[in-house]
Amino acid sequence: SGGALEHSKAQLEYELLVANEHLEMIETTAKEYEKNIETLYMDRNDLKKLQSALKEAKMQCTQQELDLKNARESNAALQESHSLELQELHEKFKEEKLQLNDEVQKMQESHLFELQELNEKLSATIL
């Protein structure tokens, strides 16, 4: 019966050894699992930072689009205003040119009349 006891003890030691090895494998797997979870949390935090940066970039882009739209509208209004000013200046220029032409013509007529008078006086004096 001593042999059976030895056999039983050896069997228990073997099973204990197998159980310990199994436990070590489970612990190793658990440590890998914890490392994976830690990596996932780090990745998640990185992803959140990237999402934040993306959101910020989108907001800046939207603001820049708005600024650009306002600048374009302002530019268009300015061009329209300048165009109207140019038209007004052109009209004034045309009016002033006509007035000057009139004045020059009147002066020429007046000088011509004076010349005729002088010419007549001169002719009368000579004769």
Side-chain angles (χ1 to χ4, degrees):
S1 105
L5 195 59
E6 279 296 316
H7 176 69
S8 193
K9 185 181 172 192
Q11 179 71 29
L12 284 174
E13 283 176 351
Y14 173 74
E15 287 176 8
L16 187 61
L17 185 68
V18 170
N20 279 337
E21 284 177 359
H22 189 63
L23 189 60
E24 280 180 26
M25 282 174 47
I26 290 173
E27 285 175 349
T28 302
T29 304
K31 282 180 185 171
E32 286 176 4
Y33 178 74
E34 283 176 2
K35 275 186 186 175
N36 285 343
I37 285 181
E38 203 175 301
T39 303
L40 283 173
Y41 272 113
M42 286 167 51
D43 289 351
R44 183 172 166 247
N45 287 339
D46 288 347
L47 189 60
K48 279 186 175 181
K49 286 178 190 170
L50 283 173
Q51 284 175 330
S52 254
L54 182 63
K55 189 176 178 184
E56 179 65 28
K58 278 183 180 176
M59 284 177 10
Q60 285 179 358
C61 192
T62 302
Q63 185 58 48
Q64 287 174 346
E65 284 175 348
L66 193 64
D67 292 347
L68 184 61
K69 182 179 176 250
N70 289 340
R72 281 183 177 148
E73 288 173 359
S74 174
N75 192 20
L78 206 57
Q79 283 181 342
E80 173 118 7
S81 165
H82 285 172
S83 177
L84 287 173
E85 285 178 31
L86 274 174
Q87 281 180 334
E88 287 174 15
L89 283 172
H90 186 66
E91 289 301 316
K92 279 185 182 177
F93 174 76
K94 279 168 48 180
E95 283 175 28
E96 287 181 15
K97 188 177 171 188
L98 283 174
Q99 279 182 340
L100 276 173
N101 282 344
D102 279 354
E103 287 176 25
V104 165
Q105 193 174 352
K106 284 177 185 169
M107 284 173 72
Q108 284 176 339
E109 288 170 1
S110 168
H111 287 162
L112 192 64
F113 181 74
E114 286 176 20
L115 274 174
Q116 282 176 342
E117 277 188 334
L118 280 172
N119 211 1
E120 286 171 10
K121 283 183 183 174
L122 195 63
S123 293
T125 321
I126 292 175
L127 297 175

